[in-house]
Amino acid sequence: MKKLLITGGAGFIGSHVVRLFVNKYPDCLIVNLDKLTYAGNLANLKDVENKPNYEFVKGDIVDGDFILKLFEQHRFDGVIHLAAESHVDRSISNPTEFVFTNVIGTVNLLNAARAIWKGNTKDKLFYHVSTDEVYGSLGNEGMFTETTAYDPHSPYSASKASSDHFVRAYHDTFGLPVVISNCSNNYGSFQFPEKLIPLFINNIKNNKPLPVYGKGENVRDWLWVEDHARAIDVIFHKGTKGETYNIGGHNEWKNIDLIKVLCTIMDRKLGRKEGTSEKLITYVTDRAGHDLRYAIDSGKLQKELGWVPSLQFEEGIEKTIEWYLENEEWLKQVTSGKYQKYYENMYKNR
Ligand code: NAD
Ligand code: TYD
């Protein structure tokens, strides 16, 4: 039986990747390694937790000795590395945490893979999951391609850029078989409600203000999370070692336009009079170093590996809103306790 390590599998994207791989590859043991930070939740994986080809390990990728032992014990054939601190606003409040997890944690995993695979790298792969934010910010024109120069602005994107460089360095210096993908903003079920879409759905539901940073003119390129997971599957199995693939759905939205769509759909679903939720929109102080626009050119992935997004945004956002409305218990559970404190701190001076 092949053994695959997925890190960060209890988080938003990781849980979708774990679910896809556990169900699609019953002959492969999927080991999910996660520290279960505020963003990691085993409730995200209830439907696969009893499958015979699934195992959960609680642990911290920053602990190099522990990681090496885990690799020695399991002798993984492949790694899909998603564990990270992932929220830009938190990286502004506490940059150092991002260096530990995103940079040191990644290097620990690279060291462990190198130590157990040694020269024997046939059929082995270290897949590093990254973000389009490493490319920096676009003006009104153009798109990020795989050759766009890195230009990160937030501590989050700087830490992800650094980890990407280490992954490439281990390929070039030590011949480690690696592949990297850089994806645009994801949306869908199981996303922690600190990111724009689930936060605003939750706030609209609870009649709380919708804190729009600056004028709401920043543009993000949104991809349905299950399409990201499918892209990871395609790249893991068909991608060329040493290569980078951009993933995105050609789906750009100005924040304020997207927020108005959320308000309209929520009014309809909650049986509120049209225009009710838009009244919650509150313009607040802009995020420091706020990137103006992200847009991904995923032509390489589409042409070379045949991946295309399966869902149009209109359908995806309806499904997503429905999911958050139907999963009130999940929302309650993840937004209790520490979440309340985080929320008060993050927005008190805005
Ligand atoms: P997330 O914050 O929802 O989940 C991160 C997971 O990593 C959590 O389960 C958390 O418990 C775990 N984790 C954090 N620190 C850890 C540590 N030290 N050791 C072990 N586990 C740890 O993040 P996400 O949105 O699912 O993002 C997953 C990956 O995809 C990240 O690498 C992120 O940079 C990348 N990415 C995210 C997006 C997006 O829109 N969310 C877009 C492109 C790329
Ligand atoms: P976010 O979901 O944090 O993703 P990222 O910063 O990684 O792109 O934010 C998406 C956009 O929404 C970004 O331009 C910042 C903006 N935003 C707000 O206007 N208000 C908010 O409360 C949040 C969390 C984000």
Side-chain angles (χ1 to χ4, degrees):
M1 195 184 218
K2 286 215 161 202
K3 283 191 183 180
L4 174 63
L5 175 69
I6 299 184
T7 71
F12 165 49
I13 301 169
S15 62
H16 286 280
V17 176
V18 167
R19 178 173 300 103
L20 177 69
F21 275 69
V22 166
N23 288 327
K24 192 169 170 188
Y25 303 106
D27 294 335
C28 180
L29 177 70
I30 308 297
V31 178
N32 170 17
L33 167 66
D34 200 295
K35 183 181 172 184
L36 300 182
T37 67
Y38 76 92
N41 193 338
L42 289 178
N44 299 0
L45 287 165
K46 275 233 154 328
D47 52 331
V48 295
E49 68 187 8
N50 293 322
K51 299 262 169 149
N53 64 329
Y54 173 72
E55 208 175 295
F56 173 70
V57 176
K58 186 172 187 298
D60 188 344
I61 58 169
V62 179
D63 182 345
D65 292 339
F66 161 77
I67 292 298
L68 185 59
K69 276 191 199 119
L70 187 76
F71 273 70
E72 281 168 351
Q73 180 196 341
H74 283 282
R75 310 206 73 79
F76 300 113
D77 301 290
V79 178
I80 303 181
H81 173 37
L82 296 110
E85 286 292 336
S86 69
H87 188 36
V88 173
D89 291 327
R90 286 183 192 253
S91 82
I92 297 169
S93 318
N94 182 7
T96 313
E97 190 71 29
F98 284 67
V99 179
F100 281 119
T101 289
N102 298 0
V103 186
I104 313 263
T106 301
V107 173
N108 284 339
L109 291 163
L110 290 167
N111 284 338
R114 193 180 155 222
I116 60 149
W117 293 341
K118 299 202 175 75
N120 185 13
T121 53
K122 196 174 167 286
D123 298 330
K124 305 283 189 281
L125 185 63
F126 188 106
Y127 183 151
H128 178 62
V129 176
S130 192
T131 166
D132 62 353
E133 306 195 20
V134 298
Y135 298 123
S137 183
L138 292 163
N140 292 328
E141 300 292 318
M143 290 180 140
F144 299 131
T145 70
E146 288 79 2
T147 55
T148 302
Y150 277 29
D151 183 23
H153 298 292
S154 73
Y156 164 64
S157 54
S159 66
K160 291 296 291 187
S162 172
S163 64
D164 293 10
H165 289 317
F166 272 103
V167 174
R168 288 196 186 96
Y170 272 58
H171 172 265
D172 297 348
T173 309
F174 305 119
L176 199 77
V178 306
V179 72
I180 300 180
S181 60
N182 296 81
C183 188
S184 62
N185 287 62
N186 285 211
Y187 71 96
S189 53
F190 297 112
Q191 186 170 32
F192 192 78
E194 64 182 357
K195 306 276 171 72
L196 181 74
I197 290 179
L199 175 70
F200 278 34
I201 293 173
N202 196 32
N203 282 13
I204 293 171
K205 196 177 82 181
N206 295 310
N207 271 310
K208 284 174 69 174
L210 305 176
V212 179
Y213 297 164
K215 294 186 180 144
E217 283 175 350
N218 304 67
V219 174
R220 296 293 181 264
D221 185 352
W222 295 93
L223 180 71
W224 192 45
V225 63
E226 294 188 31
D227 279 330
H228 187 188
R230 282 178 45 249
I232 289 174
D233 180 22
V234 170
I235 294 167
F236 184 77
H237 288 99
K238 295 206 249 161
T240 304
K241 287 171 184 171
E243 289 290 315
T244 296
Y245 297 89
N246 278 355
I247 310 172
H250 290 282
N251 178 43
E252 290 180 53
W253 285 84
K254 219 179 240 189
N255 288 345
I256 192 65
D257 296 335
L258 171 63
I259 291 160
K260 287 184 178 164
V261 168
L262 291 179
C263 290
T264 306
I265 302 177
M266 290 289 284
D267 280 346
R268 173 160 47 78
K269 296 222 183 269
L270 296 171
R272 290 179 184 167
K273 199 167 142 248
E274 209 185 317
T276 309
S277 301
E278 271 194 33
K279 294 200 183 99
L280 298 169
I281 291 175
T282 310
Y283 291 92
V284 299
T285 312
D286 207 353
R287 172 187 279 172
H290 197 172
D291 288 334
L292 177 66
R293 175 172 164 257
Y294 303 142
I296 273 276
D297 178 349
S298 58
K300 176 177 170 181
L301 174 61
Q302 303 207 10
K303 274 188 224 105
E304 291 184 12
L305 305 185
W307 171 90
V308 279
S310 71
L311 262 198
Q312 292 299 311
F313 185 70
E314 288 67 20
E315 196 185 333
I317 199 69
E318 283 267 347
K319 266 169 116 85
T320 301
I321 291 174
E322 263 160 39
W323 188 87
Y324 285 96
L325 292 177
E326 281 165 11
N327 287 275
E328 205 156 312
E329 266 316 302
W330 181 90
L331 256 182
K332 265 199 197 135
Q333 193 198 327
V334 300
T335 55
S336 63
K338 278 191 182 158
Y339 175 86
Q340 300 298 345
K341 214 173 191 169
Y342 156 81
Y343 197 83
E344 275 162 33
N345 278 336
M346 190 56 77
Y347 293 97
K348 76 176 168 212
N349 295 321
R350 279 205 135 109

